[in-house]
Amino acid sequence: MNVLIKSATIIDSKSDFHNQTVDILIEKGTITKIASTINNTNDYKVLHLDNLHVSQGWFDSSVSFGEPGYEERETISNGLKTAAFSGFTAVALNPNSNPVIDSFADISLVKAKAQNHAVTLFPIGTLTKGALGENMAELFDMSQAGAIAFYDYQKPIENPNLMKIALQYASNFEGLIISFPQESRISRTGVMNEHISSTRLGLNGNPTLAEELQIARDLFLLEYTGGKLHIPTISTAKSVDLIREAKKKKLDVSCSVAIHNLCFTDEALETFNTNFKVLPPIRTQSDINALINGLKDGTIDMVTSDHNPIDIEHKKIEFEGAKYGTIGLESAFGALQTLFSTKKTINFLTQGKQRFGIETSPIKIGEKANLSLFNPDETYTFNKTNITSTSKNAIFENVELKGKVYGVIANNKLILK
């Protein structure tokens, strides 16, 4: 793939051309020249887009596609196309398929299905066999097949000894353990944040205590074992405080926050729109403020769309019976830009790579072209025409966003929306 990018503003603090508007020549997937002007002497494809900005390719640490088993929700192929159209060049695939991804063969299967795509798929294996929370899965075997972490997606590990052993065992090969932050015996049947809104709406509440208690437990286990822990999609102010203190102790812990937990409060559920039924639940403005501060001071390591396609049969029903989840890849960039500057947005979308052992490619001559292409200034109202996912359960539907994604250049491929 040979392409000449014209008049692109580079957003990459690792590049000598950061904040400069330049031409970029890419030959056979590698950046061969960056200059103020480059002549197209070889008659390559020319890319000239309005207010074009480029950055290192974005990474999402929590994406669900459905395949195998739930292809009606999303296939791997269409999911990767959606990721490319949304500006992501790498995604970590959750193992919540049917069957779940809990073996060497399963990891190999999803990797094979993702071959020859612009977007690189990094599979996460389950932490326990069948994601049943009872017996530890074959973690080392899955790591040999290419699993980058181990996680029973949105299922808390109730047995603390199992979590302790997993942290100890995985530390032998630098394995990353992911633990969903919810104490299910506290959350019980809660379907939204336990607060004034849940009382007014007559819905069972999921208290912040359920999240914070599980995080406190896991941090004690981490300190005891000296393992490597990632806590996904935290949602409360106290959770930020707990992780901040753990980092001060030099514990090997990281965490993420789902973008929708930064943008909505539990008052949004007043309409009983099941697209707002997510896990962890959206909480209060004081929680949002703490999460944003946690991102700014580095306590929270990364953002995620927590993209989770759910078919209409499991969403267009009464609120209590609807499945948790929202799609989020397509809206991720535009939503973040309503809260942060473009530079901070790009940092939040790229800085998770190191934690998951994923190679970074600075925008420099001689480096592989791994680029996200976007216009940071265009505003629009997000609607179904912006959705590429098979499932349409979008929490950001009818919300004004800022920033248009053009596509990606990665793996020697150019994908434009």
Side-chain angles (χ1 to χ4, degrees):
M1 186 271 302
N2 302 312
V3 62
L4 175 59
I5 303 174
K6 300 293 288 184
S7 300
T9 301
I10 293 176
I11 307 296
D12 180 7
S13 59
K14 301 294 176 62
S15 172
D16 296 335
F17 299 90
H18 179 50
N19 283 335
Q20 296 183 37
T21 301
V22 294
D23 292 356
I24 305 170
L25 181 63
I26 299 170
E27 297 178 290
K28 297 181 180 179
T30 298
I31 298 172
T32 57
K33 189 174 183 180
I34 302 175
S36 57
T37 302
I38 300 174
N39 295 323
N40 190 17
T41 55
N42 293 311
D43 198 28
Y44 291 154
K45 177 182 178 65
V46 175
L47 197 62
H48 202 309
L49 300 169
D50 183 46
N51 193 31
L52 176 60
H53 287 58
V54 301
S55 71
Q56 289 189 38
W58 306 338
F59 166 64
D60 195 327
S61 61
S62 180
V63 166
S64 303
F65 287 151
E67 187 179 6
Y70 298 122
E71 287 83 359
E72 73 279 6
R73 299 178 186 176
E74 188 64 281
T75 63
I76 288 175
S77 179
N78 192 68
L80 293 175
K81 180 176 78 171
T82 299
F85 285 174
S86 304
F88 293 88
T89 62
V91 297
L93 179 68
N94 291 313
N96 57 327
S97 51
N98 185 23
V100 297
I101 303 169
D102 67 353
S103 70
F104 185 103
D106 295 331
I107 296 292
S108 300
L109 174 65
V110 295
K111 287 192 71 175
K113 286 181 173 290
Q115 285 184 349
N116 300 317
H117 282 269
V119 179
T120 303
L121 182 150
F122 293 94
I124 297 172
T126 61
L127 182 57
T128 65
K129 292 180 180 179
L132 298 174
E134 297 173 357
N135 299 295
M136 194 168 67
E138 298 291 343
L139 307 188
F140 180 72
D141 283 356
M142 287 192 285
S143 74
Q144 294 298 102
I148 60 169
F150 309 100
Y151 177 31
D152 291 358
Y153 178 69
Q154 291 192 344
K155 293 182 178 181
I157 302 298
E158 295 184 359
N159 183 344
N161 192 53
L162 178 60
M163 177 57 66
K164 182 197 75 168
I165 292 170
L167 286 165
Q168 290 173 324
Y169 177 71
S171 65
N172 291 310
F173 55 92
E174 291 295 309
L176 179 63
I177 299 298
I178 303 179
S179 179
F180 184 64
Q182 179 171 283
E183 168 49 76
S184 57
R185 287 161 293 195
I186 298 291
S187 61
R188 295 173 63 85
T189 57
V191 294
M192 68 172 292
N193 182 48
E194 183 183 86
H195 197 243
I196 296 170
S197 292
S198 63
T199 302
R200 184 167 58 246
L201 297 174
L203 294 173
N204 290 334
N206 181 340
T208 60
L209 175 65
E211 176 172 311
E212 296 150 7
L213 195 61
Q214 190 82 349
I215 289 176
R217 184 206 74 171
D218 287 344
L219 291 175
F220 272 115
L221 292 170
L222 179 65
E223 187 171 15
Y224 179 83
T225 60
K228 188 176 179 181
L229 178 67
H230 178 70
I231 302 173
T233 59
I234 67 171
S235 67
T236 82
K238 182 65 174 177
S239 297
V240 178
D241 291 339
L242 288 167
I243 294 167
R244 183 179 289 119
E245 289 304 309
K247 288 190 170 187
K248 287 179 181 178
K249 293 181 180 179
K250 306 298 183 184
L251 299 187
D252 194 352
V253 62
S254 59
C255 66
S256 68
V257 61
I259 295 168
H260 48 261
N261 282 98
L262 300 170
C263 296
F264 301 104
T265 69
D266 53 7
E267 294 176 356
L269 275 71
E270 296 281 351
T271 61
F272 293 93
N273 182 345
T274 58
N275 288 337
F276 286 89
K277 186 179 180 182
V278 292
L279 197 66
I282 51 178
R283 302 204 186 264
T284 67
Q285 188 61 52
S286 61
D287 292 306
I288 289 176
N289 294 342
L291 292 166
I292 288 174
N293 288 334
L295 275 169
K296 289 179 177 179
D297 70 17
T299 300
I300 300 176
D301 300 270
M302 65 199 79
V303 298
T304 172
S305 70
D306 204 22
H307 180 82
N308 191 5
I310 303 294
D311 54 279
I312 192 170
E313 287 80 4
H314 290 98
K315 270 295 186 182
K316 293 294 183 180
I317 56 177
E318 71 282 354
F319 195 91
E320 291 90 337
K323 286 190 176 295
Y324 293 101
T326 175
I327 58 173
L329 284 169
E330 296 99 322
S331 53
F333 177 65
L336 281 173
Q337 284 234 130
T338 66
L339 300 172
F340 304 105
S341 68
T342 299
K343 181 180 178 180
K344 284 189 179 296
T345 295
I346 299 307
N347 284 340
F348 297 149
L349 289 171
T350 56
Q351 64 191 20
K353 291 181 181 181
Q354 183 176 0
R355 181 59 171 172
F356 286 84
I358 295 170
E359 181 184 2
T360 60
S361 298
I363 304 177
K364 295 181 177 180
I365 296 170
E367 292 281 349
K368 292 180 181 177
N370 188 280
L371 308 174
S372 299
L373 315 173
F374 56 95
N375 174 352
D377 298 328
E378 184 171 329
T379 59
Y380 66 101
T381 299
F382 187 84
N383 57 45
K384 284 187 169 58
T385 63
N386 304 111
I387 296 175
T388 311
S389 300
T390 301
S391 296
K392 310 301 178 186
N393 54 309
I395 197 171
F396 283 99
E397 187 174 0
N398 299 321
V399 174
E400 185 171 286
L401 304 181
K402 181 184 179 184
K404 176 182 179 180
V405 176
Y406 290 121
V408 299
I409 296 176
N411 289 331
N412 202 21
K413 290 178 173 60
L414 167 63
I415 306 293
L416 293 177
K417 190 170 182 179

